[in-house]
Each structure stands twice: as structure tokens, then as C-alpha cells.
Amino acid sequence: MTLLDGVGGMLEGASVLFEAGKVVAVGTDFQIPDNAEVLDGTGKWVTPGIIDVHSHLGVYPSPGTDSHSDGNEMTRPVTAQVWAEHSIWVQDAGFSRALAGGVTALQILPGSANLVGGRTITVKNLPNRTVQSMKFPGAPYGLKMACGENPKRVYGSKKDGPSTRMGNVAGYRQAWADAQDYKRQWEKYRAEHKAGKNPTPPKRDLTMDTLVGVLDDEIMVHMHCYRADEMAIMMDLMKEFGYQITSFQHAVEAYKITDLLAENNVCSAMWADWWGFKMEAYDGIRENVPMVHQGGACAIVHSDDDQGIQRLNQEAAKALGDGLRAGIEISKADAWQWLSANPAKSLKIFDQTGSLEVGKNADLVLWSTDPFSTYAKAERVYIDGGLAYDRQDPESWPVQDFELGQPGQGDAK
């Protein structure tokens, strides 16, 4: 069996041993316990599970009706008070489709209509009855923000704007300035309360609570942004107000500023070859992902699509191939970081998952062949060591209510 460990290592004839949900051994020469269940992986490949950092499953679920469209709270430019988890419909069949593609965890975000769209959530891809049961333990919340065309298009004709990119930036700056003031008010209240002065607490503001969570480094910023110049401005903004942008989402022009991304410790979550569908996406190149990697910055392949999430291994393969044709030599072992380790790092869950290392969660995929091949199938998917998907056992596949159909309307009386 060929093993990609998710952090740049590749082993031939390797095995992985997991017990009680954790990886306990990886390599070619460890002793397999007598009571272990052994699965023959001859000719197959094993990798860490795929982590998609940009999904709207559940907030834009299937069936795709207006009544299910719950991703964009388009009521004002800054809606940091809303949380994606409060919109997620767990019966979305997209979760099980993604599972069949080797996706073991994903971040679900609000849409990109607003300057600040609301909180994101990271979930394990185990379809269940409630979103609470799907939450990834210990994963911090994220905050979805958006720059560029979307906010100014949505709000340009409305009273409070913004209608330009400079209006976008003014909107962010005012929101962060208000959050700083709100934080100072609560700090003053707590200090006076501790001193026994019996002060009146400030009025709680749910929008400001989330923004202060970012300033306190408890909530991670994931920012929809296409153009290199705007990403640079956003990094200036984060320095002005003292917070960290964890990732730029889509980042079509990230290849132009790999040095700035590396210096500022910001990941770029990118498509392999989507470009040109609007002006800010026009200057995209197929070598974007490998060029960001080559430049020493954190590169991620993401989906932002209920179909693409089913084939993220193929998306990474396209990016790898485009880089090789341009003379950028990247190994398959290094490229798998785009799908596991780097996403886990950007979501702040790398201590638990994202690589096949001793002590981490046994989140892994057994592939029928080289996962960078168009013909590769995820044969088995394990989450926390449990078999979540078995391609050879259709009876075990998760099925949602809306896939079962409705009772027939026959003639029986």
C-alpha cells in the first residue's frame, strides 16, 4: 500500500494502525497486534481525509429551493451577529455525496453578499440529526468576510451602501473601530466590577460580540477576496486593528503576492481552474495553486460547490499537473497538503487531524488507486477510526429523507 502522510511524506509498502479513534502506528516495520482487524491494501493508496475549507452544504442544501436558501443575511452590510450553524439543514444529501469523495471534515460558511457575513462552523462529515452532533470538537469559530464586487453590487443601490471598493474598506474600518470601543467598554466594566464599584454593564451587542472575538484571537477570519491588490489592503487593515486573517478564500490572484501571504501567515484557498466568470476573477491562471506553494505560502484547494466537493482529489490533481507543465516540480506527497494539512492548519484543528501521525484522529481514506488519478475511487472512509463509508457496501451508505421518495398515490381505497 502506498501511503501519503499529509505532511509531505510518502511510503511504499506501508501500513497504518489505529485504535480507539486514534492513529497509533504508521510505517513499514511495526508489529501488528494479534487481535487487530487487518485490511489488505495491496495496490491501493491511503491518505488523510480531505478537509474542505469552503462549503455551503446545509445553508444552500439540496433540494435547491428558495425556502432552503439560508446563506446570505442581506439586510445590512455587517451581519457578524448571524451564525451559519443556525441555518444548516443536516438532511442535505450533499454531505453523504462529499463523504463518498473522501471528505472527512468541512467548514460551512455564510455567503459572500456582505462585508461581514457571519460566523462559520467546522463539522465532521458524519450525517446526523442535528448540527450540534456534527460539530468538530475544539474547532474555533470562523468569521466570513467578503471584499470586492459582491458587497458593492448587493448594497450599491441601497441607502447605506457601500457602492464602491473604497466604501467597502470604510465599512470594515468602522466596524472594527466600533468593536474596539465595545471591547474597551466591557474591559472597563470588568475592571470596575472587580474593584467592587458595582458598575452597570454595557448593553450586549451580538454583532460586536463576534467582532471582539476576532480581536481576542478566538474567532478566525476567512475572507472572500479575488484580487491581489485587495488582499494586500485587507492585510494592511488587519495590522491596523490587530487581528489575523487566517485565509483568503478563492484568492484568484494569490500568485501575484506569494511573498506577502507568506510574510503575513495567511493561507490561500483556491480553485484549480475557475476564472473569468466576473471581472475580479478575470486574471486567474491555472498555475495559481502550485505558484503559491512554490512561493512558500500556505496553499489550499477548496470547492465552494456541492459538486466540486465530491472530486477535490481531482481538483488537486489538475493544479498539480498544471504546475508540472509550467516547470514547477511538486511531489504528490507535498501536493496532498493542499487537501489535508493546510486546510487543518487554517481551521486551527491540525493538532487533531490533517495528517497520518501518531496520536491524531484516525481520519483517513483508502483509495482504489493513485488519488491523483481520474479513475481513483474512495473505497473506504474512516472518521475517528470508525468506518463512515464503504463503497463495496451500498446498504451501509447514509441516506437522507428526501432521497427516500414519498409513498405512492395508488388507487387503493
Side-chain angles (χ1 to χ4, degrees):
M1 182 171 68
T2 303
L3 183 144
L4 302 179
D5 64 12
V7 286
M10 179 174 178
L11 292 173
E12 298 288 353
S15 299
V16 56
L17 177 66
F18 48 95
E19 182 180 11
K22 302 291 184 182
V23 175
V24 296
V26 178
T28 58
D29 57 0
F30 61 83
Q31 183 66 38
I32 298 176
D34 293 336
N35 63 344
E37 179 183 350
V38 178
L39 182 65
D40 185 5
T42 303
K44 304 181 191 300
W45 290 54
V46 67
T47 68
I50 294 173
I51 302 171
D52 189 2
V53 300
H54 196 119
S55 177
H56 299 296
L57 292 183
V59 298
Y60 292 116
S62 300
T65 67
D66 288 345
S67 62
H68 278 167
S69 180
D70 288 316
N72 272 316
E73 180 62 28
M74 292 185 289
T75 51
R76 63 187 192 215
V78 176
T79 57
Q81 78 277 8
V82 302
W83 301 17
E85 68 184 80
H86 297 147
S87 279
I88 293 173
W89 190 52
V90 296
Q91 294 188 63
D92 184 354
F95 289 114
S96 54
R97 300 295 185 267
L99 185 62
V103 174
T104 54
L106 56 151
Q107 176 178 222
I108 300 172
L109 309 90
S112 54
N114 298 349
L115 298 176
V116 182
R119 293 199 196 195
T120 76
I121 182 176
T122 301
V123 300
K124 288 179 179 286
N125 194 18
L126 284 169
N128 215 311
R129 297 173 301 164
T130 66
V131 69
Q132 290 89 344
S133 61
M134 295 178 69
K135 284 185 178 182
F136 196 111
Y141 283 109
L143 178 66
K144 172 69 176 293
M145 296 180 63
C147 63
E149 292 182 22
N150 286 15
K152 76 189 193 79
R153 183 186 72 245
V154 172
Y155 292 97
S157 61
K158 298 182 180 180
K159 179 180 178 181
D160 295 326
S163 62
T164 63
R165 282 180 164 83
M166 60 185 174
N168 285 353
V169 174
Y172 309 130
R173 296 184 73 234
Q174 187 61 61
W176 291 121
D178 291 345
Q180 287 179 328
D181 184 60
Y182 182 75
K183 181 179 179 181
R184 285 189 292 267
Q185 291 177 41
W186 277 98
E187 288 173 344
K188 179 183 178 183
Y189 163 75
R190 293 186 184 104
E192 291 180 352
H193 186 272
K194 186 176 181 180
K197 295 183 179 180
N198 196 30
T200 301
K203 180 181 178 181
R204 188 176 176 194
D205 185 312
L206 297 182
T207 298
M208 293 297 111
D209 281 350
T210 292
L211 295 178
V212 169
V214 172
L215 296 178
D216 288 341
D217 201 31
E218 296 171 353
I219 298 174
M220 310 296 112
V221 171
H222 301 276
M223 191 155 198
H224 163 118
C225 213
Y226 286 75
R227 284 179 11 185
D229 57 327
E230 289 190 274
M231 287 186 267
I233 290 170
M234 294 306 105
M235 287 187 280
D236 287 344
L237 211 65
M238 78 179 192
K239 293 173 186 175
E240 178 183 359
F241 290 98
Y243 64 93
Q244 178 67 42
I245 296 173
T246 303
S247 70
F248 286 119
Q249 299 288 317
H250 313 328
V252 168
E253 294 185 14
Y255 66 93
K256 298 180 180 180
I257 53 167
T258 59
D259 55 336
L260 295 180
L261 295 167
E263 289 168 12
N264 288 282
N265 194 31
V266 182
C267 291
S268 292
M270 298 161 281
W271 296 295
D273 53 7
W274 282 16
W275 71 280
F277 45 90
K278 54 181 175 176
M279 280 305 301
E280 63 186 2
Y282 192 79
D283 210 7
I285 61 173
R286 291 177 178 269
E287 299 81 12
N288 194 22
V289 175
M291 285 184 68
V292 169
H293 179 100
Q294 183 188 48
C298 169
I300 296 169
V301 173
H302 73 351
S303 77
D304 188 29
D305 181 69
D306 62 340
Q307 301 294 312
I309 196 173
Q310 301 173 31
R311 294 177 291 274
L312 278 170
N313 62 309
Q314 295 181 21
E315 294 300 303
K318 288 191 290 185
L320 177 61
D322 288 328
L324 292 173
R325 282 186 286 274
I328 303 173
E329 296 290 334
I330 299 173
S331 69
K332 292 178 180 179
D334 280 334
W336 198 262
Q337 295 176 88
W338 306 340
L339 296 174
S340 63
N342 289 350
K345 290 174 182 177
S346 78
L347 298 176
K348 307 303 178 187
I349 55 175
F350 186 59
D351 60 327
Q352 300 183 64
T353 191
S355 63
L356 296 181
E357 297 179 279
V358 174
K360 288 198 172 182
N361 296 345
D363 300 332
L364 54 98
V365 183
L366 180 69
W367 300 90
S368 60
T369 187
D370 179 350
F372 291 96
S373 166
T374 304
Y375 301 103
K377 303 291 185 183
E379 291 195 346
R380 287 189 167 216
V381 181
Y382 294 88
I383 299 178
D384 291 332
L387 182 59
Y389 174 78
D390 183 350
R391 189 166 181 265
Q392 306 304 322
D393 184 13
E395 293 297 322
S396 70
W397 296 353
V399 178
Q400 305 297 346
D401 287 354
F402 272 69
E403 297 177 282
L404 297 175
Q406 296 180 345
Q409 303 298 317
D411 295 328
K413 304 298 184 193

